[in-house]
Amino acid sequence: MNLSNLKPAKGAVKSSKRIGRGTGSGRGGTSTRGHKGAGSRSGHSTKIGFEGGQMPLQRRVPKFGFKNINRVEYNGVNLDTLQALIEKHNLTAVDFEALKAHGLVSKNDKVKILGRGELKAKVEVTAHAFTASAQKAIEAAGGSIVKI
């Protein structure tokens, strides 16, 4: 056996429709295109998504919501995370550079301090934003906040 005598399995290949070969073939005359209309003409192709005049799917489906281009995304850091960081590295002030150095934020992030957990250490915390509960907890521990 070699490449020259390979052939597909019996019944695997179907002979193609022979269109436009006279009325006796059963596919002569209009050559399976029907009578008149755009579909019978050469060069006709339907638009993508065209459903024969029915309202297309992309127009039937409702469009919800919207993207606010002025939205400010913050990277949240909780008080318990700050407390663990302060205990581990003996910090007296927590600022953006300290958070970046210890892998909590990236260089282009904006930081928001969130109120989960408790803060025992007296520290100065510098960030872009604070929740009311986080601000209260920091000041209750004797620390201070600075907004960038």
Side-chain angles (χ1 to χ4, degrees):
M1 177 180 268
N2 59 25
L3 292 175
S4 67
N5 59 13
L6 287 178
K7 62 180 186 178
K10 189 168 177 65
V13 178
K14 204 171 165 187
S15 57
S16 62
K17 277 186 187 180
R18 294 197 65 219
I19 294 169
R21 290 294 177 270
T23 52
S25 70
R27 297 195 184 95
T30 58
S31 302
T32 72
R33 287 172 173 261
H35 294 280
K36 301 183 182 175
S40 70
R41 316 289 187 211
S42 67
H44 170 70
S45 63
T46 53
K47 291 178 185 173
I48 293 171
F50 182 68
E51 297 182 19
Q54 174 175 300
M55 188 61 69
L57 181 68
Q58 72 270 20
R59 290 188 60 197
R60 287 198 307 266
V61 175
K63 277 61 171 181
F64 287 115
F66 100 133
K67 278 252 193 251
N68 184 357
I69 59 167
N70 299 316
R71 178 179 165 82
V72 179
E73 281 283 343
Y74 288 103
N75 193 344
V77 179
N78 278 295
L79 291 176
D80 54 3
T81 311
L82 280 184
Q83 183 62 38
L85 188 72
I86 291 163
E87 287 171 4
K88 189 174 181 184
H89 299 288
N90 296 325
L91 300 175
T92 55
V94 177
D95 61 349
F96 183 79
E97 293 303 319
L99 293 172
K100 191 170 85 173
H102 298 296
L104 291 173
V105 293
S106 299
K107 67 177 182 174
N108 295 325
D109 287 346
K110 289 194 182 305
V111 180
K112 185 171 191 173
I113 306 299
L114 308 175
R116 188 188 71 199
E118 60 177 310
L119 191 67
K120 299 176 192 105
K122 179 184 175 182
V123 287
E124 183 183 290
V125 183
T126 306
H128 295 95
F130 296 85
T131 60
S133 59
Q135 186 172 343
K136 215 178 281 182
I138 292 166
E139 288 167 351
S144 61
I145 66 160
V146 177
K147 288 187 181 176
I148 300 174

